[in-house]
Amino acid sequence: MSRRKTERQLNLVICLLATRRFLTAREIRTMVAGYEEADSDSAFKRMFERDKRELRESGIPIETGGSDPWTDDEGYRIFPADYELPEIELMPDEAAVLGLAARAWRHAALGDAAANALMKLRAAGVPVDTDAAPALTPVLGTDEPAFLPMWQAVRDRRRVAFAYRKPGEPVARRRLEPWGVVNYRGHWYVGGHDLDRGARRVFRLGRIVGEVEVDTAGPPVEVPAGVDVRSLVRGRDPLEPQGVARVRVRADSGHELRRAAQRIVPGPHQGDDPRWDLIDLPYADLDDLVGMVARFGDRAVIEAPAEARAAIAAHLADLAARDPGPEPGDPAAEPEPAADARRGSASAEQLRRLLMLVPYALSHDVRVHEVAEHFGLSQRQVLKDLSLLWMCGLPGYTPGDLIDVDIEAAESTGEIIIANAETLAQPLRLTADEAASLIIGLELLAELPGVADSDALKRVGEKLRAAAAAPAGAARALAAVGAGGAARPGGVEPGPDPVHRLADAVGVRIELSDEVREVQRRCDEALRAGQLVHLRYLSGYVDEVTERDVDPMGLVVYGGHAFLEGWCRLRGDVRLFRLDRVLDLTVLPEPARVPARARRRDLRAGVLRLSGDDTRVTLDLDPSARWVAEEYHCSSVRDLEGGGVRATLRTPAPEWVRRLALRLGPRARVVAPVELAEQVRERARAALAAYGPDPSGT
């Protein structure tokens, strides 16, 4: 069935490309091979409508128009100028940058779009290099289920409605005119006009509950001139500090507090007792200050202001008085990873391959193994595609109409001989999704040293935008397709080029500090020189600074953070080091020696590496603490009465969970394991003792 469908759709493409006038559905039914299988008018209509939709989704610009001035019958054709990819030439450094941009989407929702874009460029003979700069790894994640429908709504300029859960508030229904989506510090946001509130609003996609409803019948969304969704999202940053707290911290502890401090006053040594330092800690919110200090237990004490002392004492007292509850039954087994539904049908993939294989083979003297290597296919797949090709051609389907392929030569010597295929001689142009995925990938590269300031990044961006720009006819064809594939009245869509509009409406902001960028630059220098580096590194799990010698293997940008990936000699394994936790980096005068057995990390499931030895922890989170389930990888999340959730996660470091529970205080409860809940209570009691019977200090 899949093969017959591919043949029928390819015959339809050839027919509509070759015609000089609009063909009615009745004419297509009688002319195009494959539609004779429909045994009724309704069966043909379903088959034809499905074929049109799938071809348009593949980027083939089927245009509608009047076939006869004397009738109202709608006709169809494909303008070759709208179908063909404009010529694009890339220098070697530009090809390397473009391949790197495509790699950013490898494990994300637009991975197929980026891969298809590269295939089309390769069909045109563009030497895109996806293996260039192997030490650099840009990664864009799209774990939020709302990402794809919101992306498509922005692309098609459609209003949306959705249920939204703001932290600490009940779920509310929102109606939005989306202007753009932005990845900011590792999370996706949509910005636009809130129809119910009559104001500009930003929503985090991970907080959308259930399905996104797309209005396919309403008027198109008009984005105000000059609006910058990136700045709109960035404006959600925390407030500037409003006060400064005086905090007493043990000399060997509170490293994150020290990094945020305005001033550190070392305390005196008192015999064998640990030294305590005084730090001035700026804060913008009292609750945030309390949580920030409470997680260090009895190793950090707020001295002033009095209201902060009273607040943290109450926070700790709640934890100290809480009895561990009964441990629940076995947490639900972790769900099996969902099958990747992004891949299209087998027939759609084969059709796209054929539309790329033919122009490449016609314009290059290549053999089967060279085509397979060029497109990343197996030789068996190339032969299978060629065997289907010779069954297709122009209506009439006589020997002079069919595409001529020498299958015997391909199988015996690898030689590819194709004739009578001039209709398919030009590669298919990029769709809006395909072009935008590459353009956005280029934007992410601005966060990588060695690429951000390169002239190649700017040049390839300009060339890609020019090649992707839709001509007037293509704009009409794209306008004919609504969110559901239905034709719009008149077949004309006003407004700017959809490729450029989408690329401008989607952005990536990492926001690395100057200090982190300097560390990143020095890591890049060590990578290029092949030198060993020494790190003073603050652990993300425990309040501990370690000294590490690391053989650099690569730089990674993932989830809003920059990482150094390398062989850690202390741990004897490959590790990812978050650069904002690097306290000091020294490039040593010693060559890096990465063991032969070392392998780069597979980031398909994120940077967190889970193990069967990890501790399974269950937390009950109040509505105001739901962000924990958003920020950390949870194997299960279940809604509770009152808007809270029960979240189960795994961690190799229970100490990290103890610190998290101390930070959250009354907003969370450790349900399991019980011994961990008991440890949190004991830590809170020890910390509370530092505040005495009158924590206000009066």
Side-chain angles (χ1 to χ4, degrees):
M1 179 63 184
S2 176
R3 180 184 177 92
R4 293 200 302 271
K5 180 179 179 181
T6 305
E7 290 176 1
R8 184 182 68 244
Q9 290 185 346
L10 184 58
N11 282 326
L12 177 59
V13 171
I14 294 171
C15 176
L16 296 182
L17 272 171
T19 184
R20 294 189 177 183
R21 64 179 180 85
F22 290 98
L23 299 177
T24 66
R26 289 195 303 272
E27 290 175 308
I28 290 171
R29 183 179 183 184
T30 61
M31 295 171 63
V32 176
Y35 287 117
E36 71 277 359
E37 296 180 6
D39 55 9
S40 66
D41 290 344
S42 60
F44 164 72
K45 183 176 181 180
R46 289 193 301 270
M47 186 183 295
F48 182 53
E49 290 299 321
R50 184 170 58 249
D51 286 346
K52 283 191 301 177
R53 182 183 68 252
E54 292 180 3
L55 291 178
R56 282 168 168 161
E57 288 174 353
S58 295
I60 298 172
I62 300 177
E63 185 174 7
T64 59
S67 62
D68 189 328
W70 308 106
T71 70
D72 293 331
D73 290 345
E74 191 170 54
Y76 307 90
R77 67 175 177 181
I78 301 173
F79 283 110
D82 298 345
Y83 172 95
E84 298 167 2
L85 178 69
E87 183 177 355
I88 176 172
E89 294 183 2
L90 296 183
M91 303 293 289
D93 58 345
E94 297 168 347
V97 167
L98 192 57
L100 191 58
R103 275 164 38 199
W105 293 99
R106 278 178 303 178
H107 310 312
L110 293 181
D112 286 348
N116 287 337
L118 294 190
M119 292 275 279
K120 290 178 178 179
L121 292 171
R122 285 173 173 149
V126 178
V128 180
D129 186 359
T130 55
D131 296 324
L136 300 178
T137 308
V139 182
L140 276 171
T142 51
D143 296 332
E144 300 90 338
F147 173 80
L148 268 182
M150 198 65 74
W151 166 284
Q152 291 161 357
V154 169
R155 179 193 65 195
D156 299 332
R157 298 165 56 201
R158 293 297 181 187
R159 293 178 176 178
V160 295
F162 51 86
Y164 190 73
R165 191 191 300 274
K166 191 174 181 179
E169 298 182 9
V171 175
R173 182 174 172 80
R174 300 296 185 99
R175 296 186 308 130
L176 183 73
E177 290 184 335
W179 296 340
V181 289
V182 174
N183 186 291
Y184 185 57
R185 294 182 172 174
H187 299 287
W188 285 99
Y189 298 84
V190 59
H193 178 71
D194 189 317
L195 292 168
D196 296 313
R197 292 154 182 77
R200 297 181 176 187
R201 289 289 188 271
V202 171
F203 301 94
R204 183 162 155 175
L205 297 191
R207 292 174 180 161
I208 291 178
V209 180
E211 301 291 329
V212 175
E213 301 171 19
V214 180
D215 181 2
T216 61
V221 171
E222 297 294 338
V223 181
V227 70
D228 182 358
V229 181
R230 296 166 176 82
S231 297
L232 188 63
V233 172
R234 190 180 184 184
R236 303 174 74 259
D237 274 355
L239 299 174
E240 292 295 322
Q242 301 298 314
V244 177
R246 175 60 61 89
V247 183
R248 187 160 50 93
V249 185
R250 266 185 55 156
D252 58 349
S253 305
H255 298 288
E256 292 187 28
L257 298 179
R258 296 171 184 276
R259 297 193 76 189
Q262 281 185 346
R263 185 179 64 154
I264 301 176
V265 179
H269 288 280
Q270 298 179 349
D272 295 333
D273 294 335
R275 193 185 82 232
W276 289 75
D277 301 329
L278 285 176
I279 69 172
D280 290 339
L281 187 66
Y283 67 95
D285 179 87
L286 184 61
D287 288 341
D288 287 344
L289 171 66
V290 167
M292 189 186 315
V293 177
R295 60 182 166 159
F296 296 99
D298 61 354
R299 292 171 175 250
V301 180
I302 295 179
E303 298 287 333
E307 62 172 348
R309 282 181 61 83
I312 194 170
H315 178 98
L316 294 169
D318 184 280
L319 284 171
R322 180 177 295 174
D323 289 326
E327 186 162 352
D330 291 339
E334 296 185 22
E336 291 295 325
D340 190 348
R342 293 187 283 112
R343 299 301 303 177
S345 67
S347 61
E349 291 185 35
Q350 187 173 33
L351 178 64
R352 283 193 291 268
R353 289 198 305 269
L354 287 167
L355 295 178
M356 293 180 253
L357 185 155
V358 173
Y360 183 71
L362 288 175
S363 59
H364 296 77
D365 182 14
V366 289
R367 295 180 177 270
V368 170
H369 73 276
E370 294 171 315
V371 170
E373 182 179 355
H374 186 70
F375 289 104
L377 305 171
S378 67
Q379 295 186 45
R380 181 180 178 183
Q381 187 63 69
V382 173
L383 291 172
K384 183 178 179 180
D385 291 345
L386 290 173
S387 69
L388 182 146
L389 190 62
W390 70 277
M391 299 295 294
C392 303
L394 291 166
Y397 306 106
T398 67
D401 299 319
L402 292 172
I403 296 174
D404 186 12
V405 181
D406 192 334
I407 299 297
E408 183 178 348
E411 291 177 341
S412 60
T413 67
E415 188 176 7
I416 298 179
I417 303 173
I418 300 177
N420 208 26
E422 289 75 12
T423 307
L424 301 178
Q426 298 300 319
L428 178 61
R429 74 166 50 249
L430 303 180
T431 66
D433 282 359
E434 291 165 355
S437 68
L438 294 183
I439 292 171
I440 297 161
L442 292 173
E443 185 174 339
L444 179 61
L445 297 188
E447 307 299 338
L448 289 171
V451 182
D453 300 326
S454 71
D455 188 48
L457 183 64
K458 179 180 179 181
R459 295 195 314 268
V460 75
E462 293 172 348
K463 290 182 178 181
L464 184 60
R465 283 175 175 266
R476 291 195 301 273
L478 284 168
V481 189
R488 299 190 184 120
V492 177
E493 178 181 349
D497 178 349
V499 172
H500 289 178
R501 185 183 69 233
L502 182 57
D504 291 339
V506 183
V508 180
R509 285 284 183 89
I510 304 298
E511 298 294 328
L512 303 178
S513 68
D514 292 341
E515 292 80 4
V516 171
R517 290 195 183 279
E518 174 60 20
V519 172
Q520 189 183 47
R521 184 191 64 78
R522 292 164 65 192
C523 287
D524 182 59
E525 290 180 351
L527 265 168
R528 294 175 185 276
Q531 296 296 109
L532 180 71
V533 298
H534 179 80
L535 307 180
R536 289 188 64 246
Y537 189 70
L538 175 59
S539 170
Y541 286 123
V542 295
D543 183 24
E544 178 184 61
V545 174
T546 56
E547 305 281 339
R548 313 281 189 106
D549 284 342
V550 178
D551 300 287
M553 297 170 65
L555 283 170
V556 175
V557 173
Y558 185 98
H561 298 286
F563 298 83
L564 169 67
E565 184 175 12
W567 178 263
C568 177
R569 296 187 179 182
L570 178 65
R571 304 302 184 202
D573 198 2
V574 176
R575 288 288 190 269
L576 285 169
F577 299 95
R578 227 173 82 174
L579 297 190
D580 60 346
R581 294 180 182 148
V582 174
L583 304 182
D584 186 47
L585 181 146
T586 304
V587 180
L588 301 176
E590 178 182 337
R593 295 188 299 273
V594 179
R597 68 181 185 277
R599 295 291 181 270
R600 299 289 300 273
R601 294 276 288 271
D602 182 357
L603 299 177
R604 195 172 313 169
V607 297
L608 180 64
R609 177 178 287 180
L610 298 177
S611 164
D613 297 329
D614 292 346
T615 301
R616 187 186 298 268
V617 180
T618 301
L619 302 171
D620 280 355
L621 304 169
D622 284 357
S624 61
R626 289 182 67 105
W627 60 266
V628 173
E630 299 171 357
E631 295 291 337
Y632 302 111
H633 177 76
C634 296
S635 56
S636 68
V637 178
R638 180 164 61 86
D639 287 331
L640 301 175
E641 291 185 9
V645 295
R646 172 164 289 183
T648 299
L649 53 84
R650 289 161 51 188
T651 177
E655 170 62 21
W656 170 78
V657 179
R658 288 191 285 268
R659 294 174 62 202
L660 176 65
L662 287 168
R663 172 185 178 183
L664 295 173
R667 296 181 295 161
R669 183 171 73 93
V670 177
V671 178
V674 171
E675 57 268 23
L676 184 60
E678 180 63 34
Q679 291 167 7
V680 171
R681 184 174 68 168
E682 293 305 316
R683 293 280 184 90
R685 287 175 175 174
L688 184 61
Y691 294 91
D694 184 7
S696 67
T698 58

